């Protein structure tokens, strides 16, 4: 039963971002919070839980540790509760399996009484009479909150020409058996997800069964930037620097940083090469095409499959290929908040491109006295670290400090050896 009292803070959506916020809000005395999620339980990319896939950040990038390492909701506390501390100690794994991170988050979600699953926030408006945001939550009804944090996450992005034909990598596992048995499969997109899908199909499909093709617009199947100083672009220091840049500069900078967030781990690249090399033993080459610098410009149904029109980014030439199935590992985009915010959405501050303006504390500029915050919808204002798990605890603590009007969580003044800016 939902309380009639006005909440200090309400979260919409329970992904890792708002789960971190709920975990860090839990021990704060006097802070009345609730978090609503339409799913029946916590779920995180279930279609990408490929065997052996590892998280791309260290285990310390859990929901709480980089802000409060003493929390009872840390990853180490999860291991202790599962009686797995010693196996983890001897495993010497700094990067944990993706499935283990999902299980850890689900474990945290079951320990937070402020989470409300099977509850869909359908509309948010400002109620002048109540001096609070009014949320229409089904089936709970009317909910009032002084502060609202939107953590609805992102949604799979598929290029328009491929929408009628492709499965997105987010839904890969349910389609896996069919794809393994399909003679000709094309994977589009060269990020980590595309590499993991390609490698899984390569390993699962017997030699000689058919053709496996991997296409990407990027100039190479490039390794992710993982040098120690390079990783400092995922620190609060860099986030503050990026936020202070002019909008046109930020817009030019994000695409140029593609190797920070659209590239592939060196380990996965090595695994792919080793599997391809193994298939050359005894002579011959695997029936595989790896083509960087290639974009799909059109797709149409043909008698024997889907005909793709390809353009080489550097050569400028065109070609066509026919394939039986397509997997798009083409990333994610921010969700459209229009239906949720309704008329409130027209009152938000917008930049020259029509995107919401988000301040350094993740608060959206609005005409209402209440504060509306966003999580993982601010890459255009805060940089490529917006979706990075290593920054979610710091972002959640920043929001809580703003909501409470004081430093309930002291945050470090400096987090990088690099000096960004003059």
């Amino acid at each position: 039963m939902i309380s009639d009292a006005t909440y200090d803070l309400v979260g919409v959506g329970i992904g890792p971002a708002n789960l971190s916020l709920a975990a860090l809000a839990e021990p704060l005395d006097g802070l009345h919070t609730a978090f609503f999620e339409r799913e029946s339980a916590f779920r995180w990319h279930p279609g990408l839980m490929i065997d052996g896939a590892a998280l791309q950040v260290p285990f310390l990038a859990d929901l709480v540790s980089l802000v409060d390492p003493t929390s009872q909701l840390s990853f180490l506390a999860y291991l202790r509760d599962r009686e797995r501390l010693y196996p983890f100690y001897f495993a010497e794994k700094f990067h944990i399996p993706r499935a283990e991170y999902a299980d850890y988050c689900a474990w945290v979600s079951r320990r937070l009484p402020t989470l409300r699953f099977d509850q869909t926030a359908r509309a948010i408006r400002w109620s002048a009479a109540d001096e609070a945001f009014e949320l229409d939550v089904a089936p709970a009804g009317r909910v009032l909150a002084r502060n609202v944090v939107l953590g609805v996450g992102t949604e799979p992005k598929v290029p328009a020409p491929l929408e009628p034909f492709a499965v997105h990598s987010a839904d890969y596992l349910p389609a896996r058996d069919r794809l393994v048995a399909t003679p000709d499969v094309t994977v589009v997109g060269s990020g980590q997800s595309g590499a993991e899908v390609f490698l899984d199909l390569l390993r699962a499909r017997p030699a000689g069964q058919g053709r496996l093709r991997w296409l990407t617009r990027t100039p190479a199947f490039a390794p992710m930037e993982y040098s120690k100083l390079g990783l400092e672009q995922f620190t609060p220091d860099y986030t503050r620097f990026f936020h202070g840049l002019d909008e046109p500069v930020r817009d030019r900078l994000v695409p140029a940083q593609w190797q920070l967030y659209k590239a592939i781990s060196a380990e996965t690249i090595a695994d792919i090469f080793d599997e391809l090399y193994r298939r050359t033993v005894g002579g011959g080459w695997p029936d595989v095409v790896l083509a960087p610098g290639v974009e799909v410009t059109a797709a149409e149904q043909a008698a024997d499959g889907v005909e793709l029109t390809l353009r080489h980014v550097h050569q400028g030439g065109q070609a066509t290929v026919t394939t039986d199935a397509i997997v798009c590992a083409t990333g994610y985009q921010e969700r459209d908040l229009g239906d949720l915010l309704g008329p409130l959405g027209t009152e938000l501050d917008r930049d020259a491109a029509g995107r919401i303006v988000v301040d350094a504390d993740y608060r959206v500029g609005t005409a209402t006295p209440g504060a509306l915050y966003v999580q993982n919808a601010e890459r255009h204002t805060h940089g490529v670290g917006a979706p990075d798990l290593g920054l979610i605890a710091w972002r959640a603590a920043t929001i809580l400090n703003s909501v409470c009007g004081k430093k309930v969580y002291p945050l470090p003044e400096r987090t990088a050896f690099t000096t960004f800016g003059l």
Side-chain angles (χ1 to χ4, degrees):
M1 191 72 180
I2 302 300
S3 169
D4 292 331
T6 300
Y7 289 97
D8 297 309
L9 182 152
V10 158
V12 177
I14 304 176
N18 266 355
L19 187 59
S20 172
L21 186 68
L24 289 171
E26 180 63 21
L28 301 181
D29 292 336
L31 190 66
H32 191 32
T33 69
F35 295 80
F36 300 96
E37 168 58 52
R38 64 185 178 184
E39 299 286 345
S40 59
F42 179 86
R43 293 185 178 89
W44 185 68
H45 297 308
L48 268 174
M49 294 298 160
I50 300 170
D51 286 346
L55 208 62
Q56 297 304 300
V57 292
F59 74 90
L60 283 173
D62 62 17
L63 301 171
V64 293
S65 288
L66 290 175
V67 166
D68 180 12
T70 66
S71 171
Q72 294 302 303
L73 297 175
S74 70
F75 179 73
L76 291 179
Y78 153 81
L79 291 176
R80 180 184 61 189
D81 183 71
R82 289 277 201 256
E83 298 186 354
R84 297 177 57 235
L85 266 174
Y86 269 93
F88 179 74
Y89 169 60
F90 291 120
E92 297 184 347
K93 293 286 187 182
F94 205 48
H95 292 80
I96 62 176
R98 188 180 293 147
E100 187 173 23
Y101 178 81
D103 188 63
Y104 155 68
C105 287
W107 174 87
V108 171
S109 73
R110 293 190 290 270
R111 281 155 177 76
L112 292 172
T114 56
L115 306 189
R116 311 276 192 268
F117 290 98
D118 284 320
Q119 303 284 342
T120 303
R122 298 186 298 194
I124 303 172
R125 62 187 69 88
W126 177 256
S127 171
D130 298 293
E131 295 184 335
F133 289 104
E134 179 183 0
L135 291 84
D136 176 16
V137 181
R142 183 172 182 260
V143 174
L144 296 176
R146 296 182 185 88
N147 303 277
V148 173
V149 183
L150 301 179
V152 296
T154 55
E155 60 187 359
K157 179 176 64 176
V158 177
L162 298 177
E163 277 187 299
F165 311 109
V167 57
H168 193 273
S169 56
D171 302 310
Y172 169 68
L173 282 186
R176 181 181 184 272
D177 290 346
R178 173 177 62 84
L179 292 167
V180 169
T182 299
D184 189 295
V185 178
T186 299
V187 179
V188 179
S190 68
Q192 183 65 24
S193 296
E196 289 173 355
V197 167
F198 178 81
L199 176 60
D200 187 60
L201 289 173
L202 183 63
R203 286 171 167 169
R205 292 158 61 89
Q209 174 175 305
R211 173 163 293 186
L212 184 58
R213 188 180 296 104
W214 190 13
L215 311 176
T216 172
R217 289 184 301 178
T218 56
F221 296 103
M224 194 173 295
E225 168 59 75
Y226 212 75
S227 65
K228 290 179 170 61
L229 289 178
L231 288 176
E232 289 196 333
Q233 292 172 88
F234 293 101
T235 59
D237 281 9
Y238 183 79
T239 300
R240 286 189 288 262
F241 161 75
F242 185 92
H243 188 270
L245 296 173
D246 292 336
E247 180 186 329
V249 178
R250 295 198 302 254
D251 288 346
R252 290 195 302 269
L253 195 52
V254 169
Q257 296 174 317
W258 66 274
Q259 276 191 258
L260 289 171
Y261 66 103
K262 286 187 176 180
I264 311 164
S265 75
E267 292 80 3
T268 307
I269 291 175
D271 289 342
I272 290 171
F273 188 91
D274 290 347
E275 181 64 25
L276 292 171
Y277 178 78
R278 185 183 67 80
R279 294 185 176 222
T280 66
V281 174
W285 289 79
D287 196 5
V288 169
V289 174
L290 288 83
V294 172
E295 65 176 349
V296 180
T297 60
E300 60 182 30
Q301 189 66 53
D304 53 348
V306 179
E307 184 178 88
L308 303 178
T309 301
L310 311 178
R311 184 183 77 88
H312 199 282
V313 175
H314 305 113
Q315 286 180 326
Q318 286 196 345
T320 59
V321 297
T322 302
T323 188
D324 298 315
I326 305 162
V327 181
C328 277
T330 44
Y332 298 80
Q333 61 191 359
E334 285 80 11
R335 294 184 187 276
D336 184 357
L337 301 175
D339 291 341
L340 180 62
L341 296 178
L344 182 61
T346 63
E347 301 174 9
L348 304 182
D349 293 343
R350 304 278 177 172
D351 65 14
R355 300 166 298 195
I356 55 176
V357 175
V358 186
D359 74 11
D361 290 339
Y362 301 93
R363 180 173 175 170
V364 180
T366 114
T368 62
L372 181 68
Y373 299 86
V374 292
Q375 299 217 67
N376 196 10
E378 71 287 350
R379 186 163 60 187
H380 60 291
T381 56
H382 287 67
V384 295
D388 190 76
L389 295 176
L391 282 170
I392 63 171
W394 177 80
R395 180 174 55 200
T398 300
I399 292 172
L400 288 170
N401 288 347
S402 177
V403 167
C404 295
K406 59 181 181 180
K407 292 185 178 180
V408 292
Y409 282 106
L411 296 174
E413 292 296 323
R414 185 170 182 178
T415 55
F417 292 114
T418 305
T419 298
F420 300 105
L422 293 178

